[in-house]
Amino acid sequence: MKSEEHTQSRSANFWMDFGPLLVFFVSFQFFKKNNPDSAMLIAAGIFASLAVIVLFIGWLRYKKVSKILLLTTVIIVITATLAIWSGNKVIFFMKPTIINVLFAVTLIIGSFLKKNPLKAILGGTIILPESMWNKLSIRWGIFFIFMAILNEYVWRTQTESFWASFKVFGVMPITMVFMLTQLPFIQKNGKIRQ
């Protein structure tokens, strides 16, 4: 019974994370048929609105929201609002870059200041010595820097349609592959709680 509840909770969390992105992609594809110049801005507005709704639903359901979800929602709303207000899509294209750089800086600096945010998030799932937590945080920090650079490359060199597809269907698989590459490090130096 407990396992079934855990599975349902993970499924709900997945759709709370991925749902707004999927709606963003569908909205962009729908509006670009008749409004190719403003489709990205319309989809950004829908995405920001849904992000706020998901944050509110999360708060109603769990009576708290994670700092990461709150931070990313604030950045989504700010960048989408500025992009729509100014008519400058570049601001929205740079949103993933801003988020990834903030995550990278937080993880890398946190590991040096002995306030490891990754341990605070994953400490209930993974057991590692403190020095290994710091190494894992630096690895994730480097990954987020890579993702920031990759986002900059994609939006500056590819079409809006390609960037929208990459944002929705490219980022998650790349992140999952990176997570899998870290499992041997975790298993060698610690363990994953069952």
Side-chain angles (χ1 to χ4, degrees):
M1 184 74 176
K2 194 172 182 180
S3 175
E4 187 178 324
E5 287 174 8
H6 181 68
T7 303
Q8 288 175 345
S9 176
R10 287 181 65 182
S11 176
N13 288 338
F14 171 80
W15 284 111
M16 286 177 75
D17 289 340
F18 192 66
L21 272 174
L22 196 58
V23 172
F24 159 78
F25 179 77
V26 171
S27 301
F28 172 72
Q29 297 301 325
F30 176 79
F31 287 111
K32 80 173 186 178
K33 293 174 186 172
N34 296 320
N35 301 296
D37 291 335
S38 57
M40 183 61 69
L41 296 176
I42 296 168
I46 292 169
F47 180 50
S49 301
L50 274 177
V52 171
I53 291 167
V54 164
L55 184 72
F56 185 66
I57 290 170
W59 181 79
L60 286 176
R61 184 172 183 169
Y62 303 109
K63 300 302 178 209
K64 63 177 183 177
V65 291
S66 73
K67 290 177 183 174
I68 293 173
L69 181 60
L70 182 60
L71 174 67
T72 54
T73 302
V74 167
I75 293 170
I76 289 166
V77 170
I78 290 172
T79 54
T81 302
L82 287 173
I84 293 164
W85 178 73
S86 66
N88 186 353
K89 295 179 246 186
V90 169
I91 298 168
F92 189 68
F93 291 146
M94 291 184 71
K95 175 194 67 69
T97 303
I98 295 166
I99 290 173
N100 283 314
V101 167
L102 282 173
F103 284 173
V105 168
T106 302
L107 288 171
I108 292 170
I109 291 177
S111 65
F112 285 111
L113 295 178
K114 310 292 187 226
K115 293 184 186 255
N116 195 309
L118 195 63
K119 182 180 179 183
I121 296 167
L122 298 177
T125 309
I126 300 170
I127 301 170
L128 283 173
E130 198 64 37
S131 61
M132 295 300 115
W133 274 115
N134 291 336
K135 285 185 179 179
L136 189 61
S137 284
I138 291 169
R139 287 176 173 216
W140 271 100
I142 293 167
F143 171 74
F144 284 125
I145 290 169
F146 165 76
M147 292 303 289
I149 293 168
L150 184 58
N151 181 67
E152 286 297 298
Y153 172 78
V154 170
W155 82 258
R156 290 174 189 272
T157 62
Q158 305 301 315
T159 64
E160 285 184 7
S161 292
F162 185 91
W163 181 80
S165 298
F166 168 75
K167 177 178 170 57
V168 179
F169 303 110
V171 171
M172 190 175 288
I174 292 170
T175 305
M176 294 299 291
V177 168
F178 177 76
M179 286 172 67
L180 291 173
T181 66
Q182 300 312 296
L183 285 178
F185 173 84
I186 293 167
Q187 289 167 341
K188 180 182 175 184
N189 296 288
K191 65 179 182 178
I192 299 173
R193 295 181 200 267
Q194 297 300 320

